[in-house]
C-alpha cells in the first residue's frame, strides 16, 4: 500500500511540472490564421501538436503550457510562426485530434498547428 501511495504521489508531482519556454521558443509567434499573400513568404517545416490534461491544473494553465510546447517544438524546426489549425478543450490528451470520445476531462487541451519559417531566412 505504501508503494502505491509513493507512486501516486510521484505521478502527481510530475503532472504539476511546468514546461519552460526555451530562448529560441520565445522568438516564435503563434497565430490563428494567415493570409494567402503572407503565406507566400513562408515555407512549412512541419506539423506539430501538444496535449495536456488529466492533471491538477486549470484549463487556462494547460492552454499556456500547450502553447509553450508548440513554440519550443517550432523553434527546434527552425520555425518563426505557428498557425493553429485545430484546438479542442475537453479533449482526452491520449486520443487523436478529431475523435469525439467524451472523457470527462474539462481541463484537457489538444492543439495542432503548422510551423513555418521565412523563405528569406532559409536561403
Amino acid at each position: 500500500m505504501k508503494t502505491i501511495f509513493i507512486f501516486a504521489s510521484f505521478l502527481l508531482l510530475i503532472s504539476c511540472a511546468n514546461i519552460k519556454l526555451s530562448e529560441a521558443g520565445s522568438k516564435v509567434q503563434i497565430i490563428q490564421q494567415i493570409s494567402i499573400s503572407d503565406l507566400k513568404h513562408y515555407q512549412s517545416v512541419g506539423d506539430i501538436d501538444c496535449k495536456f490534461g488529466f492533471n491538477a491544473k486549470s484549463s487556462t494553465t494547460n492552454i499556456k503550457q500547450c502553447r509553450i510546447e508548440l513554440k519550443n517544438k517550432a523553434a527546434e524546426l527552425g520555425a518563426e510562426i505557428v498557425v493553429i489549425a485545430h484546438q479542442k478543450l475537453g479533449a482526452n490528451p491520449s486520443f487523436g485530434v478529431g475523435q469525439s470520445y467524451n472523457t470527462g476531462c474539462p481541463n484537457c487541451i489538444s492543439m495542432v498547428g503548422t510551423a513555418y519559417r521565412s523563405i528569406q531566412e532559409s536561403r
Side-chain angles (χ1 to χ4, degrees):
M1 187 63 139
K2 183 178 178 182
T3 305
I4 293 172
F5 177 74
I6 292 171
F7 182 70
S9 298
F10 176 73
L11 288 177
L12 182 61
L13 286 174
I14 288 174
S15 70
C16 293
N18 286 330
I19 294 177
K20 303 291 183 204
L21 183 62
S22 68
E23 185 177 334
S26 69
K27 298 174 184 169
V28 175
Q29 276 190 306
I30 294 181
I31 58 177
Q32 297 298 321
Q33 60 186 10
I34 189 168
S35 68
I36 298 294
S37 60
D38 286 340
L39 195 56
K40 292 177 184 177
H41 302 287
Y42 290 93
Q43 169 187 0
S44 172
V45 293
D47 293 329
I48 54 177
D49 67 340
C50 63
K51 299 168 185 145
F52 279 87
F54 285 112
N55 56 27
K57 297 178 184 179
S58 69
S59 57
T60 302
T61 299
N62 285 335
I63 289 168
K64 288 178 184 176
Q65 289 291 285
C66 202
R67 290 173 66 91
I68 289 171
E69 184 174 315
L70 287 178
K71 286 182 170 194
N72 289 343
K73 285 180 175 182
E76 289 174 9
L77 296 173
E80 299 159 351
I81 62 170
V82 175
V83 179
I84 300 296
H86 182 79
Q87 175 176 313
K88 184 173 181 182
L89 185 60
N92 182 338
S94 64
F95 289 91
V97 173
Q99 292 184 347
S100 60
Y101 183 74
N102 184 0
T103 64
C105 181
N107 72 330
C108 291
I109 183 72
S110 173
M111 289 186 194
V112 177
T114 302
Y116 293 93
R117 81 169 147 231
S118 173
I119 292 174
Q120 295 83 12
E121 294 286 326
S122 63
R123 288 184 183 172

